[in-house]
Amino acid sequence: MDTVLLMKIGELVTLAGPARARRGAEMRELGILHDAAVFVSDGRIAEVGPSPDLEARHRDVAVTLDLTGKVVVPGFVDAHTHALFAGSREDELEWKREGLSYREIAARGGGIASTVKKTREAPDDVLRRETLGRLRSMLRHGTTTAEVKSGYGLSVDQEVRSLTLLSQMQDAAIEIVPTFLGAHALPPEFEGRPDAYADLVAGPMLEEVARKTAARFCDVFVEDGYFTSDQGRRILLAARRYGLDARVHADELTACGGAELAADVGAVTADHLVHSTNAGLKEMAARRVIAVLLPGTSFTSRLPYADARRLLGLDLAVALGTDLSPNSWIESLQTVISIAVHHSGLSAAEALTAVTVNGAYAVGKGGECGTIETGKRADLLVLDLPNHRHLGYRHGDSVEMVLSQGRVVHRRALPG
Ligand code: ZN
């Protein structure tokens, strides 16, 4: 049997607790054990407890890791990424510096449309290679599960291709949760006809995606200049008939009814929430919609930050995502934790809950990962930090080792 004993752990952050996303004040409860051990068998967590006990009972273990003075946390879950795309848009950084807005950049031929063109033109092997490179980098930074959206194809065939390629990347040691985002932007061939495109997404595109791909969620970009709340509702209700749960890009640039829509359709998450109304957030709390904050995008796009304290005060559950895309190329959730702690009002403990247990529930994997409890997948990170409160305090990479399903898949090279 494949067994591993992580022992003498200085601080073990288990996040043991109720089998659901943690809300409001619950996000501060980390379930910390000191001088602890985790016994892993066949890729699963078999036992968690005091190190001396487990060391005495598991002398015949195949691999032991002495983690004196280290912090061990669950593998991070990135609840929102657009990691599947071709090419890059570094030119736009110059335009941002000139003061151009997201919409002005799009009007100049940049933005989503430019990546749609590059992604459509990229052969399968190029799109696969570029995306895998990013996924592997995310893994090295501690992400063991990631939601990844389509949305740079924007035609029936191209959206199916994107989601099919994602399924073929499942062996990358990072678990991928695929989301269909046909309603990401209006493709050029539908210029001036947003309703016709929404009909295509809600009809033939969803039908093919449901039939041919493993998409788990359907997402819509509800925003002034993108899709209206009504178009979003039509698409998400159609998706539900195919068994795809809803997510919403909500209120990023304006208050456009995104939070209200997410509550109304019973979405699993509403994401961004920079400009949401109190009424919308309260409806989300009542329907248990998870709030996914993406402060990395506020940082790179020079937008205001969502106020996590306001959300926690309404007893919402908060998760975090990188929102990795060609507009905001962030592969590291540690970077996002730093930004969230400094600009969104989360404490280190709350941010850690957001990228573990709450991230797991936000991507429909709460039963599998996100906490260090018996039966869960052994997705574990060893952090070279004296305690978890150094997350967000130190800016940079603190992940020394990554275990995915009990296997060491990344180990930081020692200097020298
Ligand atoms: Zn997004």
Side-chain angles (χ1 to χ4, degrees):
M1 202 160 36
D2 238 0
T3 52
V4 186
L5 184 66
L6 295 84
M7 59 182 195
K8 302 186 186 355
I9 300 165
E11 183 179 291
L12 175 66
V13 181
T14 66
L15 287 139
R20 56 168 172 75
R22 311 296 157 74
R23 306 188 288 261
E26 292 174 346
M27 288 186 66
R28 299 200 288 264
E29 294 161 20
L30 299 182
I32 290 175
L33 302 175
H34 295 283
D35 193 21
V38 180
F39 177 58
V40 174
S41 177
D42 285 335
R44 297 261 159 194
I45 295 165
E47 212 179 327
V48 180
S51 197
D53 278 16
L54 269 70
E55 286 174 54
R57 276 186 291 108
H58 298 292
R59 291 179 193 285
D60 54 346
V61 70
V63 179
T64 56
L65 299 168
D66 183 334
L67 302 175
T68 304
K70 309 284 184 189
V71 176
V72 173
V73 301
F76 293 154
V77 181
D78 192 336
H80 182 136
T81 85
H82 303 259
L84 183 113
F85 61 87
S88 58
R89 301 195 329 235
E90 65 275 25
D91 292 354
E92 293 177 15
L93 193 53
E94 298 297 318
W95 300 349
K96 284 179 187 174
R97 199 154 54 205
E98 289 168 27
L100 265 68
S101 72
Y102 191 73
R103 285 201 193 85
E104 288 165 333
I105 287 170
R108 223 191 236 196
I112 295 172
S114 118
T115 298
V116 168
K117 185 166 184 297
K118 289 170 191 151
T119 303
R120 284 177 172 180
E121 287 169 358
D124 286 359
D125 62 324
V126 172
L127 190 49
R128 190 185 297 115
R129 189 177 64 239
E130 292 188 9
T131 302
L132 266 176
R134 285 184 283 273
L135 293 171
R136 288 185 180 129
S137 168
M138 289 160 70
L139 183 70
R140 286 194 297 275
H141 287 99
T143 299
T144 47
T145 301
E147 186 256 15
V148 183
K149 303 173 199 296
S150 66
Y152 294 113
L154 307 186
S155 70
V156 175
D157 288 350
Q158 288 279 351
E159 286 293 303
V160 167
R161 175 174 87 123
S162 293
L163 290 161
T164 304
L165 284 172
L166 272 181
S167 299
Q168 294 166 0
M169 294 177 209
Q170 281 292 9
D171 60 351
I174 181 167
E175 185 181 25
I176 299 164
V177 179
T179 292
F180 165 57
L181 178 58
H184 191 196
L186 205 57
E189 56 276 18
F190 278 84
E191 182 86 50
R193 298 184 294 134
D195 265 317
Y197 183 67
D199 287 342
L200 173 70
V201 175
M205 204 183 280
L206 253 170
E207 191 180 334
E208 286 294 282
V209 162
R211 198 163 67 83
K212 293 184 174 165
T213 81
R216 163 85 178 73
F217 291 99
C218 178
D219 195 345
V220 291
F221 190 11
V222 172
E223 189 55 68
D224 192 20
Y226 292 84
F227 296 92
T228 64
S229 180
D230 280 348
Q231 289 160 346
R233 180 178 287 102
R234 218 150 28 128
I235 292 165
L236 295 176
L237 292 179
R240 183 193 288 165
R241 289 196 288 277
Y242 291 107
L244 273 66
D245 286 330
R247 320 176 77 79
V248 181
H249 277 70
D251 311 318
E252 178 186 4
L253 307 173
T254 57
C256 52
E260 289 85 348
L261 171 65
D264 190 33
V265 300
V268 174
T269 71
D271 306 33
H272 285 293
L273 306 173
V274 176
H275 297 281
S276 300
T277 64
N278 262 328
L281 294 174
K282 282 181 186 160
E283 287 169 36
M284 276 176 54
R287 293 293 304 269
R288 301 283 185 239
V289 179
I290 297 173
V292 178
L293 300 190
L294 308 165
T297 313
S298 295
F299 178 69
T300 55
S301 297
R302 304 175 185 203
L303 297 170
Y305 291 89
D307 179 1
R309 301 261 48 99
R310 177 180 167 220
L311 304 184
L312 294 175
L314 294 169
D315 210 30
L316 278 157
V318 173
L320 284 168
T322 55
D323 202 13
L324 164 61
S325 80
N327 173 53
S328 182
W329 197 313
I330 302 178
E331 293 162 353
S332 164
L333 272 172
Q334 293 169 83
T335 300
V336 172
I337 290 171
S338 284
I339 300 171
V341 164
H342 286 273
H343 294 288
S344 296
L346 287 176
S347 69
E350 290 162 344
L352 190 47
T353 304
V355 298
T356 54
V357 60
N358 282 9
Y361 282 98
V363 304
K365 295 283 175 185
E368 280 288 294
C369 60
T371 69
I372 302 179
E373 292 175 292
T374 305
K376 289 274 176 92
R377 224 163 50 205
D379 294 349
L380 304 163
L381 309 181
V382 177
L383 306 180
D384 185 20
L385 296 174
N387 65 62
H388 72 274
R389 286 177 298 138
H390 280 246
L391 276 173
Y393 165 59
R394 294 195 202 187
H395 310 291
D397 187 12
S398 303
V399 173
E400 188 172 294
M401 198 187 297
V402 180
L403 287 91
S404 169
Q405 301 188 50
R407 218 158 39 84
V408 177
V409 292
H410 170 67
R411 193 171 215 156
R412 193 155 72 184
L414 292 170

